[in-house]
Amino acid sequence: MIERKPANIGRTLSIPRTATIEGGVDYPGPVVVEGTILGDVNCLSLLVAERGVVEGTIKSEDVTILGEVTGEIFADRLTLKAACQVNADIVHKRLLLEDGSFFEGKSRRHAEPLRLL
C-alpha cells in the first residue's frame, strides 16, 4: 500500500501582517506568521516574522523566530534570531540563540520533543 501525503504539504500557509487569528492553527506544511495568532500552532515548520506574534503553544519540527512568542515551544530545531522576544518554556532537540535575541523562560533539551505533547 502506498501512503499518499496531503496535496497541500508543500504549500506555505502565510498569515499576513494585517490578520489576527483567534484560535489554533493545525497545518501539515510550513507556516509563516507576519500577523498575530492567539492560539496554538501545530505545523511542519514555522517562521514567525519580524512583526509576527504568537501567543500559545507551538509544536513544529523546525521553528525560527524573528518576532514575538509567548507560551510554550516544542521543536526539534529552534532558532531565536537577533531582536526576537520570546517569553516561553521551550523543549528542543537543538537550540540556536543569536546575539541580540531575548529569551526568558525555561529551556530543556529532549531527544524527541514532539512526542511530549
Side-chain angles (χ1 to χ4, degrees), residues 98-109:
E98 287 190 357
D99 190 31
S101 62
F102 176 84
F103 165 66
E104 187 164 329
K106 295 178 185 176
S107 170
R108 187 175 87 172
R109 189 173 182 276

Side-chain angles (χ1 to χ4, degrees), residues 3 14-15 28 54 58 65 67 75 77 92 99 102 106 109:
E3 185 176 325
S14 285
I15 311 301
V54 175
I58 294 170
I65 302 172
R77 293 169 305 280
H92 56 86
D99 190 31
F102 176 84
K106 295 178 185 176
R109 189 173 182 276

Side-chain angles (χ1 to χ4, degrees), residues 21-57:
I21 294 177
E22 292 185 25
V25 173
D26 191 2
Y27 188 71
V31 174
V32 175
V33 178
E34 295 178 338
T36 301
I37 296 178
L38 305 174
D40 299 343
V41 179
N42 182 12
C43 59
L44 179 66
S45 67
L46 176 66
L47 171 65
V48 180
E50 289 179 4
R51 294 186 183 167
V53 176
V54 175
E55 293 182 11
T57 298

